[in-house]
Amino acid sequence: VTASATIRVPLGASGYDVVVGDGLLADLPGLLERHCHAARYAIITDTTVAPLLGERMLANLSHVAPCTLCTFPAGEWNKTREAWIDLSDKLLAAGVGRDGAIVALGGGVVGDLAGFVAATYMRGIPYVQVPTTVLAMVDSSVGGKTGVDTRLGKNLIGAFHQPRGVFADVATLQTLPKPQVAAGLAEALKHGAIADEAYFHSIVAQRERLLARDAGALHDVIRRSIEIKVAVVQDDEREQGKRAILNFGHTVGHAVEAAAGYQLLHGEAVAVGMVVEAELGKAIGITDPGAVHALSEAIRAFGLPATLPAGLSGAQLTQGMASDKKARSGSVRFALLQRLGAMAKSGSAWTRTIPEDTLAQVLGSLSS
Amino acid sequence: VTASATIRVPLGASGYDVVVGDGLLADLPGLLERHCHAARYAIITDTTVAPLLGERMLANLSHVAPCTLCTFPAGEWNKTREAWIDLSDKLLAAGVGRDGAIVALGGGVVGDLAGFVAATYMRGIPYVQVPTTVLAMVDSSVGGKTGVDTRLGKNLIGAFHQPRGVFADVATLQTLPKPQVAAGLAEALKHGAIADEAYFHSIVAQRERLLARDAGALHDVIRRSIEIKVAVVQDDEREQGKRAILNFGHTVGHAVEAAAGYQLLHGEAVAVGMVVEAELGKAIGITDPGAVHALSEAIRAFGLPATLPAGLSGAQLTQGMASDKKARSGSVRFALLQRLGAMAKSGSAWTRTIPEDTLAQVLGSLSS
């Protein structure tokens, strides 16, 4: 194990550590002992990660405690209540009791689904996140959001359940397909754009090392992104609403993702979503035109999409955003960039609505 | 509305009021406005309660906010994940969003299931409990335990989710079948036995008025039982384990309930469970023999079972207790009565194990 970094998520009694390191998983038994001691562990993972890491981890952990490997079919379309029932039944059959804990091993889908199993198993048992994608490391594994999708939308069913620890081993990224590396870095670019201009530029400067999965470069990015996310979430404990800035690129991104039937990776959808939302901000005089240009260039440099997928109309997306917000009883609001490293505040709010014709015009200009 | 009583459940930011009254539901819109304001309400109830109270409540609430009635088939065997999926989908189809709230209208099964829907809908939305059985009023509606059963056991899947209020209208008990009135009073007798001897005797003295559903007598019992439950739960915030005394009668009761295939009401199973557990305490010299006699007499006086159901063997029950505890990774432990109004403490623990031969002997002596 090389040097590792620890970021504390300060949530009082529910606080926990995020540990980032290269080769960290060699000491998973020790990490579990310190952060999430349990009489028995269930590793939950998907069919992609199980052969790459799951079976080795099962053998490794079995030396220290009874351990079970529970696998479900990979893919966002399997993040369902049916998969949750199947996994919960596997834990019951394996005899996991109230003194058991879950290890969520995989990308964002695994973390959301395994976290929801942990949140609801015998009224909640402890779990840790072991993210194995850049996206999960920089974003979804931190924050305690768990859940599943229904036909009507993403994450409509779920719970808040904080993990006892997040262990991000950059060595696991060596087997991650390159498009997934780039897609995860879209969220890192987002963190730079919303909160730290120097960080944004350093990601762009390190592009080649990052895409080549250089462990040191990835380590630095993951650590800094987690620091930013934790700081924003912490800030919002008093000031209701600031965490909305983490949604930059996501209002449009989610609609793109849904309309494209999950053919795009989440990070790819967020990439184009950021470009659209930056252009929206520019169109209403909020976002610095130089920032829009820099953001768009950076996204292209990582091979990420900066325009809408072919065949996707602006009207389709507008409808998608409206129906998602309708399901949640909100209006369509956008967190807008002011300049690189700073989001725009409108009075006391961090989001605002956009005139329909502006939205239609910008979406039209970014269609392929 | 006649005079009502309010008991505060002091849980910091999650604290809430339990309001007990006769005719309380006439002011449900006002109670919701004060305790659980929402843009839209979903009333969740079962097919027994819907025609008796649900449809009237829907009409009543629709005057103040958009409102939907979601019904599932009555019966403990329907407290499943499948029913939870069906109800969640009904809420989604009705357009209930994050600014919506749930009204759980019915007995313990409705409260557990509707509470679990509330706990997991869009990562948790507010809800109130409107219990319509004696059992739900004196026990299950208070405490925030929600969940569903699986084939392997009761409440194996669930979450803690505190309601915003509990509104117990004794007028709703006028249509409750008599066996259910008596079964609910078994939990009230338990509250007296574990914490308040005078209350225990007053329940027995009021037997005829209670079984005749006299509103004043029921009001007094429900109020006092809730006070006792709240005090015990509150006590346990520091002293880990005291709330185990609320389980008096339940270790055996749950096994009886499961072995009898839910042919017995929960309160009936708890009644015989209390007699068995009192005899266990007597057998090992912990429980005052006079208390065992008084408890057994009281249970018979309410027409509740004081012996095991015909055809149920002691071995079956012992196995049932062991397998339930195995699922939850515990050993079979009993909270034992010392005398009427006081539970026995063993060192720092409120529960203890019982020698196998003592258990077999007592179960044998109480077989029908």
Side-chain angles (χ1 to χ4, degrees):
Chain A
V1 187
T2 62
S4 63
T6 298
I7 302 114
R8 181 75 186 168
V9 183
L11 291 169
S14 311
Y16 55 95
D17 285 342
V18 183
V19 188
V20 185
D22 183 15
L24 206 61
L25 289 188
D27 186 34
L28 187 63
L31 288 165
L32 287 175
E33 180 62 33
R34 285 193 295 283
H35 296 269
C36 187
H37 179 75
R40 181 184 291 271
Y41 295 99
I43 303 166
I44 294 183
T45 193
D46 67 18
T47 44
T48 303
V49 180
L52 294 169
L53 295 164
E55 280 148 30
R56 187 153 40 97
M57 184 181 286
L58 176 67
N60 204 359
L61 274 188
S62 295
H63 293 302
V64 294
C67 193
T68 318
L69 183 63
C70 302
T71 305
F72 68 92
E76 175 85 35
W77 50 92
N78 292 313
K79 208 179 95 177
T80 61
R81 290 170 290 190
E82 289 70 24
W84 165 83
I85 288 180
D86 186 56
L87 288 168
S88 302
D89 283 345
K90 281 178 172 155
L91 264 69
L92 287 170
V96 177
R98 281 193 182 132
D99 54 1
I102 289 172
V103 178
L105 174 70
V109 169
V110 172
D112 285 3
L113 181 50
F116 189 50
V117 172
T120 54
Y121 191 77
M122 298 189 182
R123 298 205 185 96
I125 62 172
Y127 76 117
V128 298
Q129 294 277 14
V130 181
T132 63
T133 64
V134 177
L135 185 87
M137 290 184 187
V138 300
D139 190 38
S140 61
S141 65
V142 176
K145 286 187 179 180
T146 76
V148 294
D149 306 333
T150 84
R151 250 165 289 175
L152 292 187
K154 287 185 73 171
N155 300 317
L156 288 175
I157 303 294
F160 283 97
H161 188 51
Q162 300 296 339
R164 294 295 174 93
V166 179
F167 312 130
D169 184 350
V170 294
T172 64
L173 302 176
Q174 295 310 315
T175 52
L176 188 68
K178 289 219 169 178
Q180 292 216 35
V181 176
L185 292 169
E187 291 278 2
L189 286 169
K190 181 197 77 179
H191 290 132
I194 66 171
D196 184 344
E197 183 177 10
Y199 174 51
F200 180 89
H201 292 307
S202 81
I203 299 170
V204 176
Q206 298 263 35
R207 182 175 60 87
E208 289 190 20
R209 289 180 64 204
L210 287 166
L211 290 175
R213 307 191 194 85
D214 177 273
L218 286 168
H219 183 285
D220 291 347
V221 161
I222 290 157
R223 183 187 51 72
R224 183 66 193 131
S225 271
I226 291 168
E227 282 172 359
I228 290 171
K229 179 164 184 185
V230 168
V232 170
V233 171
Q234 195 184 347
D235 255 21
D236 197 19
E237 285 198 332
R238 290 190 187 181
E239 184 182 9
Q240 194 72 15
K242 186 169 185 187
R243 72 172 67 189
I245 69 173
L246 291 168
N247 267 334
F248 177 53
H250 282 66
T251 305
V252 171
H254 279 149
V256 169
E257 213 174 347
Y262 302 110
Q263 296 294 301
L264 254 71
L265 293 169
H266 176 71
E268 292 170 341
V270 168
V272 57
M274 287 193 287
V275 176
V276 173
E277 296 181 17
E279 291 285 359
L280 286 173
K282 189 173 86 174
I284 63 168
I286 298 279
T287 307
D288 165 37
V292 182
H293 181 74
L295 182 65
S296 178
E297 288 298 298
I299 282 167
R300 285 177 213 275
F302 279 92
L304 291 164
T307 57
L308 296 172
L312 243 182
S313 75
Q316 234 178 313
L317 289 179
T318 311
Q319 206 185 344
M321 287 184 261
S323 74
D324 184 68
K325 283 300 163 187
K326 196 183 159 211
R328 295 173 161 87
S329 294
S331 54
V332 182
R333 299 181 69 88
F334 298 85
L336 294 178
L337 202 60
Q338 184 174 17
R339 51 177 176 77
L340 280 183
M343 294 297 279
K345 204 170 175 181
S346 166
S348 66
W350 290 94
T351 59
R352 67 189 84 200
T353 56
I354 296 275
E356 269 179 49
D357 54 343
T358 308
L359 189 57
Q361 199 183 330
V362 168
L363 286 171
S365 74
L366 289 167
S367 297
S368 337
Chain B
V1 187
T2 62
S4 64
T6 298
I7 303 114
R8 182 73 186 169
V9 183
L11 292 168
S14 310
Y16 56 93
D17 285 342
V18 183
V19 187
V20 185
D22 182 16
L24 207 60
L25 289 188
D27 186 35
L28 187 63
L31 287 165
L32 287 174
E33 180 62 34
R34 285 193 294 283
H35 297 269
C36 188
H37 180 75
R40 183 183 291 269
Y41 295 99
I43 303 166
I44 294 183
T45 194
D46 66 19
T47 45
T48 303
V49 180
L52 293 170
L53 296 164
E55 281 149 29
R56 189 151 40 100
M57 185 182 284
L58 176 67
N60 204 358
L61 274 188
S62 295
H63 292 303
V64 295
C67 192
T68 318
L69 182 65
C70 302
T71 305
F72 68 93
E76 175 85 36
W77 50 91
N78 291 313
K79 207 180 96 178
T80 61
R81 291 170 289 190
E82 289 70 25
W84 165 82
I85 289 179
D86 186 56
L87 287 169
S88 303
D89 284 345
K90 281 178 172 155
L91 264 67
L92 288 169
V96 177
R98 281 193 182 133
D99 54 0
I102 289 172
V103 178
L105 173 70
V109 169
V110 172
D112 286 3
L113 181 50
F116 189 51
V117 172
T120 54
Y121 191 77
M122 297 188 183
R123 298 202 187 99
I125 62 171
Y127 76 116
V128 297
Q129 293 277 15
V130 181
T132 62
T133 64
V134 176
L135 185 88
M137 289 183 188
V138 300
D139 190 37
S140 61
S141 64
V142 175
K145 286 188 178 177
T146 76
V148 295
D149 307 331
T150 85
R151 251 165 288 174
L152 292 187
K154 288 185 72 171
N155 301 317
L156 288 174
I157 303 294
F160 284 97
H161 188 51
Q162 300 296 338
R164 295 295 173 94
V166 179
F167 311 130
D169 184 350
V170 295
T172 64
L173 302 176
Q174 294 310 317
T175 52
L176 189 67
K178 288 218 169 178
Q180 293 217 36
V181 175
L185 292 169
E187 291 277 3
L189 286 169
K190 182 198 76 179
H191 290 132
I194 67 172
D196 184 345
E197 184 179 9
Y199 174 50
F200 180 88
H201 292 308
S202 80
I203 299 170
V204 177
Q206 298 264 33
R207 181 176 60 86
E208 288 190 21
R209 288 179 64 201
L210 288 166
L211 290 176
R213 308 192 193 84
D214 177 275
L218 286 167
H219 182 284
D220 290 348
V221 161
I222 291 158
R223 181 186 52 71
R224 182 66 191 131
S225 271
I226 291 169
E227 282 172 0
I228 290 172
K229 179 164 184 185
V230 168
V232 170
V233 171
Q234 194 185 349
D235 255 21
D236 198 19
E237 285 197 335
R238 291 189 186 181
E239 183 183 6
Q240 194 73 17
K242 184 166 184 188
R243 71 172 70 188
I245 70 172
L246 291 169
N247 267 335
F248 177 53
H250 282 66
T251 305
V252 172
H254 280 148
V256 169
E257 212 175 346
Y262 302 112
Q263 296 293 301
L264 255 70
L265 293 169
H266 176 70
E268 292 170 341
V270 168
V272 58
M274 287 194 286
V275 175
V276 173
E277 296 181 18
E279 291 284 357
L280 287 172
K282 190 173 84 175
I284 63 168
I286 298 278
T287 307
D288 165 35
V292 183
H293 180 74
L295 183 64
S296 178
E297 287 299 298
I299 282 167
R300 284 177 214 275
F302 279 92
L304 292 164
T307 57
L308 296 172
L312 242 182
S313 75
Q316 235 178 313
L317 289 180
T318 311
Q319 207 185 343
M321 287 183 261
S323 75
D324 184 70
K325 283 300 162 185
K326 197 182 159 211
R328 295 174 162 85
S329 292
S331 55
V332 183
R333 299 180 69 88
F334 298 86
L336 294 178
L337 202 60
Q338 185 175 16
R339 52 176 175 78
L340 280 183
M343 294 298 280
K345 204 169 175 181
S346 165
S348 67
W350 289 95
T351 59
R352 69 190 80 200
T353 56
I354 296 277
E356 269 179 49
D357 53 344
T358 309
L359 190 56
Q361 199 183 329
V362 167
L363 287 171
S365 73
L366 289 168
S367 296
S368 338

